[in-house]
Amino acid sequence: MTKQERLELEAAAFRNLVSHLRNRKDVQNIDLMTLAGFCRNCLSKWYKAAADDMEIDLSMDEAREAVYGMPYADWKAKYQTDATPEQQAALDKAQKQDKA
């Protein structure tokens, strides 16, 4: 595999991940953090960091919109729910395990 082919495969995988997350609006970020250790906001931050590394002008709002498929405030208003006590407890437990 060439470097260009690897780059194209990684880009395609990223696009598929973003598409999957956009289609699974029912999955809350807190659940992603608990189960996978990252969420849509993490992905947005990584996207922004990559742009910064490449000296590409991209705001955090633009990075979030690239991941969420809409302005972050709109996504939060339409799809984000308050964390249940159970979700918060599961996240706290997962974060403690990560530190151990």
Side-chain angles (χ1 to χ4, degrees):
M1 177 182 315
T2 68
K3 184 177 179 181
Q4 184 61 36
E5 288 170 331
R6 183 179 56 80
L7 181 67
E8 290 175 19
L9 288 174
E10 290 170 350
F14 172 80
R15 287 190 299 270
N16 286 332
L17 173 60
V18 168
S19 176
H20 183 75
L21 291 173
R22 285 181 184 177
N23 288 326
R24 290 299 311 266
K25 294 174 180 77
D26 60 309
V27 178
Q28 295 294 304
N29 281 333
I30 193 167
D31 297 322
L32 289 169
M33 285 296 297
T34 299
L35 295 172
F38 81 98
C39 69
R40 293 170 184 89
N41 288 325
C42 298
L43 196 55
S44 300
K45 290 174 186 177
W46 299 337
Y47 192 75
K48 169 74 169 112
D52 291 348
D53 288 346
M54 297 174 67
E55 298 182 358
I56 296 171
D57 187 29
L58 184 77
S59 71
M60 192 61 219
D61 287 339
E62 291 169 324
R64 282 187 174 140
E65 191 164 339
V67 170
Y68 284 91
M70 65 184 69
Y72 180 56
D74 292 350
W75 193 92
K76 280 178 60 175
K78 290 179 183 179
Y79 304 110
Q80 186 168 312
T81 60
D82 290 336
T84 66
E86 294 81 10
Q87 285 173 313
Q88 189 61 55
L91 178 62
D92 293 343
K93 180 179 178 184
Q95 288 177 333
K96 285 179 187 175
Q97 289 174 341
D98 285 345
K99 292 179 183 178

